[in-house]
């Protein structure tokens, strides 16, 4: 497992190629690990895509993000 792009144990790793993706500019930085979108757990990159699929540009969601040894909850407005 977890060796695919965006995969890391227990979440979706934010890479440098697309910093934050749809959450760019919202406090998500490369190296963060997104572990949930709202109440939906995220355990790999594909799960993050699935969790964000029904959202609309401009919609706000709460991301649970692991950064270093801390967990943060970031409210972000998604970009297209």
């Amino acid at each position: 497992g977890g060796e695919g792009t965006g995969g890391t144990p227990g979440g979706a790793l934010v890479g440098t190629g697309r910093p934050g993706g749809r959450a760019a500019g919202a406090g998500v930085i490369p190296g963060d690990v997104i572990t949930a979108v709202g109440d939906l757990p995220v355990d790999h990159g594909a799960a993050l895509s699935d969790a964000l699929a029904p959202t609309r540009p401009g919609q706000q969601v709460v991301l649970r993000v692991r950064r270093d040894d801390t967990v943060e909850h970031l409210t972000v407005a998604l970009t297209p």
Side-chain angles (χ1 to χ4, degrees):
E3 293 187 23
T5 302
T8 194
L13 178 65
V14 177
T16 57
R18 43 180 289 207
R22 292 184 63 195
V28 179
I29 60 174
D32 283 352
V33 178
I34 299 172
T35 60
V37 175
D39 294 330
L40 299 173
V42 171
D43 56 3
H44 52 79
L48 176 62
S49 296
D50 291 346
L52 292 175
T55 61
R56 300 175 312 281
Q59 180 176 340
Q60 289 194 334
V61 298
V62 177
L63 301 179
R64 187 172 61 222
V65 176
R66 189 172 65 238
R67 180 177 297 160
D68 299 320
D69 292 327
T70 63
V71 174
E72 300 184 28
H73 292 84
L74 304 175
T75 300
V76 302
L78 301 174
T79 61

